[in-house]
Amino acid sequence: MRIAFLLALVPSLALAQSLPLRPPVLRTCVSSPFGWRHALGPHVPAGFHNGIDLAAPAGAIVHAAAAGTITVIKRQGLGGVTVHIAHPGGITTLYAHLGNLVPAIAKGKRAVAMGEPLGHVARTGVTYGTHVFFAVFVNGQAVDPLTMMTVPRC
């Protein structure tokens, strides 16, 4: 069964690697990787972490990892203020734990270029230190963002 699951991911991984990404925050490192993890505290149980946490100071600017169209902006439980961006080929990027959005995005701008500011790092949702949660989905399936960009571990 595990082999069938991994084979099902192969097309998603190939498609994901076709979209180059830039890290959404500058001078960052991965503080929590993609995959299974242990409980981090009473509000973050053990489970599958379907993205990566990128350490960043409060107030740091969060940028679009690739050009696309913002499809969702909402306050989302554990993730706090969250932005979803749709990209060609069924790829979606998700950015969570944002504070305020940049004025253009807050006023309704939806088409964004790679590197365009989206908002600022904050401690919205449940966090144990300031960071951005960054996830990539291909046709709804989570893939490790580090297959599409290079960021060192903290």
Side-chain angles (χ1 to χ4, degrees):
M1 173 126 148
R2 184 174 187 156
I3 292 172
F5 173 74
L6 292 174
L7 289 175
L9 286 179
V10 171
S12 293
L13 290 174
L15 184 58
Q17 291 171 335
S18 70
L19 179 71
L21 298 180
R22 61 155 284 170
V25 287
L26 302 176
R27 293 177 293 284
T28 189
C29 59
V30 177
S31 58
S32 185
F34 181 88
W36 289 98
R37 67 178 182 181
H38 58 84
L40 298 177
H43 302 291
V44 183
F48 192 81
H49 194 230
N50 65 354
I52 58 177
D53 290 343
L54 299 170
I61 297 174
V62 178
H63 305 267
T69 303
I70 295 173
T71 57
V72 175
I73 298 174
K74 66 180 178 178
R75 186 169 294 277
Q76 184 174 333
L78 296 177
V81 176
T82 304
V83 174
H84 300 228
I85 300 177
H87 309 279
I91 299 173
T92 300
T93 52
L94 182 152
Y95 312 75
H97 304 305
L98 278 64
N100 59 322
L101 301 171
V102 297
I105 304 300
K107 291 179 182 175
K109 181 175 188 210
R110 294 299 175 255
V112 294
M114 176 186 272
E116 188 166 340
L118 302 172
H120 299 88
V121 175
R123 291 197 61 187
T124 61
V126 176
T127 66
Y128 293 96
T130 56
H131 68 276
V132 173
F133 172 76
F134 179 65
V136 176
F137 299 90
V138 179
N139 297 322
Q141 176 69 48
V143 298
D144 186 348
L146 295 180
T147 63
M148 304 168 70
M149 63 184 190
T150 302
V151 178
R153 288 291 305 255
C154 294

